Amino acid sequence: MRVHVSVPATSANLGPGFDALGLAWTLRNEVVAAEAEGVSVEIEGEGAARLPRSADNLVARGVKLAYDAAGRPFGGCALACTNRVPSARGLGSSAAAWVSGLMAGNALLGAPFTKDALLALAARAEGHPDNVAAAIFGGLTVACASGSTVTAVALPVPAGLRWIVLIPDVTNATADARAVLPASVLHGDAVFNLQRVALLLASLWVGPPQALGVALEDRLHEPYRLRLFPWMPDVVKAARVAGALGCVLSGAGPSLLAVVAGDGAPVAAAMEAALRRAGIPGAARAFDVDTSGALSRVTG
Ligand code: HSE
């Protein structure tokens, strides 16, 4: 049997929703998978020069994880990966890889797992549930881990907003960006984020969009990650001066996500120019929200 899987890129956090919110983009990695003796991995596109082609590959590990969870012996798989999600840029490439593998394994096994069950497996593998929830369900997702289960709800996203993602030509490991976070935070900072994440969801549905300016602020991760991305304040300022409602770190960075109510082009240009002034190459892209999430089908 051969299966085809596609999984979207994602931005986690959206400012104050650290480890809780995710948003999926219409930019997809694709994998064709079949059972085989041993593991073989072909990769084209993003990360092709540096991603492992052995059983250490995250997609292959995801396939094996599905077999292990189903209690079925894993003899290997042949994978052909077409990667479009930029690697190690805060756009959910590792979440896409785990989810691709789990979706492929599930399809090869005859689909014993629901998407909710795959979410619990993916969140444990990834270490946090926000990217994998958006990658599996699409749209704007709220994910909440409780013990070994994860509850996720996908929400509609207002059509009038434009999403501009500035992708610097530098990579960042999520583990490094989590290592700079403190073990505990001030009660006042927790309250600051609670107010904003609630306002963020409320202002997305009910409005006004201008409330997003305050709602996208964060005190739980971005202030600590500034030392990894010292250009961030200048890019955020440039985005806001050019008309963005707000601008946040995409996931653990280094990409930055601006939310715009009108024309996104001036914001994209301003963000690129600010990054260039800091001596960092990179490009801004307008992304559309994906509402399909992870897809799989049997192809032969
Ligand atoms: N919530 C995670 C973090 C997302 O910010 O570390 C990583 O993509």
Side-chain angles (χ1 to χ4, degrees):
M1 186 197 287
R2 210 169 49 165
V3 300
H4 177 275
V5 168
S6 77
V7 179
T10 50
S11 287
N13 303 328
L14 303 181
F18 180 74
D19 276 4
L21 299 185
L23 190 51
W25 306 120
T26 55
L27 176 73
R28 288 177 166 265
N29 281 358
E30 295 182 51
V31 178
V32 175
E35 284 189 335
E37 291 291 314
V39 171
S40 67
V41 184
E42 292 169 22
I43 305 171
E44 65 176 50
E46 298 284 345
R50 61 173 193 87
L51 292 172
R53 286 171 162 72
S54 62
D56 289 339
N57 180 281
L58 289 189
V59 182
R61 289 174 64 190
V63 177
K64 180 175 185 305
L65 184 56
Y67 277 69
D68 290 348
R72 297 267 292 271
F74 176 69
C77 59
L79 302 175
C81 305
T82 304
N83 289 351
R84 299 191 187 88
V85 181
S87 197
R89 304 290 173 76
L91 290 167
S93 59
S94 68
W98 279 114
V99 172
S100 295
L102 283 163
M103 289 288 290
N106 189 44
L108 290 169
L109 288 162
F113 297 113
T114 61
K115 277 192 164 184
D116 283 321
L118 294 175
L119 171 62
L121 292 170
R124 200 173 325 137
E126 174 83 340
H128 44 89
D130 42 1
N131 290 99
V132 291
I136 289 173
F137 294 108
L140 170 65
T141 50
V142 181
C144 177
S146 174
S148 60
T149 64
V150 178
T151 305
V153 178
L155 303 166
V157 181
L161 296 175
R162 300 279 168 276
W163 308 88
I164 307 297
V165 179
L166 178 72
I167 309 173
D169 278 351
V170 292
T171 57
N172 169 59
T174 297
D176 295 342
R178 291 180 85 83
V180 299
L181 302 181
S184 58
V185 297
L186 290 174
H187 190 269
D189 288 348
V191 171
F192 181 98
N193 269 52
L194 275 176
Q195 291 177 339
R196 278 153 186 79
V197 79
L199 182 65
L200 174 59
L201 297 177
S203 56
L204 282 174
W205 297 327
V206 184
Q210 285 65 26
L212 289 174
V214 171
L216 288 165
E217 294 172 345
D218 164 73
R219 281 194 189 165
L220 295 187
H221 67 108
E222 289 180 351
Y224 305 101
R225 289 171 166 169
L226 279 182
R227 77 166 93 144
L228 301 173
F229 316 116
W231 62 83
M232 183 174 167
D234 287 342
V235 175
V236 170
K237 189 173 170 200
R240 294 192 75 143
V241 167
L245 295 166
C247 181
V248 298
L249 209 53
S250 176
S255 295
L256 291 162
L257 168 65
V259 188
V260 188
D263 183 6
V267 173
M271 292 170 81
E272 281 183 348
L275 190 69
R276 215 170 27 244
R277 281 195 296 276
I280 312 283
R285 293 166 69 173
F287 279 7
D288 291 323
V289 175
D290 167 88
T291 52
S292 306
L295 301 169
S296 68
R297 63 190 155 86
V298 175
T299 56

